[in-house]
Amino acid sequence: MKLFVKYISIVLAIYLLSLVLNTIYIGSFGALLIMGMVLLLVNLILKPILMLITLPVNLLTLGLFSFVVNAWTIMIADYFVENISMGGFINSLLAAFIIAILNGLFKDRD
């Protein structure tokens, strides 16, 4: 269930950002769903490795550098999915913030 909530927040965040920013291009709804799945896989496989490599910088910035790592994972997923363009690092960083906010809103409060 956690993965499904994360997937929905990823897809929703990218879609909402594409409505607000004209630099984010989504070619089709299918491409958006594939982008969500690829980003979820990148987060599961590569993100722990990137977080371990950037641990000293992350400690110095009190965890704020993790948003940069999230932006990198979005850019990596963007590279592998055709028909979607995130428009660069700043848009990916903004998407990382929005995804974190949506994850916090959708999270179960047990």
Side-chain angles (χ1 to χ4, degrees):
M1 188 67 179
K2 278 181 149 181
L3 287 177
F4 181 71
V5 169
K6 190 158 181 82
Y7 176 74
I8 294 299
S9 65
I10 288 169
V11 170
L12 187 61
I14 293 173
Y15 178 71
L16 290 175
L17 281 174
S18 72
L19 294 177
V20 175
L21 302 173
N22 60 358
T23 56
I24 296 178
Y25 169 75
I26 298 175
S28 67
F29 184 69
L32 178 64
L33 295 178
I34 291 171
M35 175 68 173
M37 190 59 67
V38 169
L39 184 55
L40 191 64
L41 289 173
V42 168
N43 281 339
L44 288 174
I45 297 169
L46 287 180
K47 186 177 174 183
I49 297 168
L50 290 173
M51 291 300 283
L52 186 63
I53 292 171
T54 61
L55 182 64
V57 178
N58 208 0
L59 290 174
L60 286 174
T61 61
L62 302 175
L64 291 177
F65 197 75
S66 62
F67 286 112
V68 174
V69 173
N70 289 339
W72 289 343
T73 60
I74 292 170
M75 292 175 69
I76 290 169
D78 179 36
Y79 176 78
F80 288 114
V81 178
E82 292 188 17
N83 254 349
I84 283 195
S85 173
M86 288 304 290
F89 178 75
I90 299 298
N91 289 342
S92 297
L93 188 62
L94 187 59
F97 283 125
I98 300 298
I99 289 170
I101 290 169
L102 288 177
N103 277 337
L105 290 176
F106 291 150
K107 191 169 76 171
D108 272 340
R109 304 201 192 276
D110 293 330

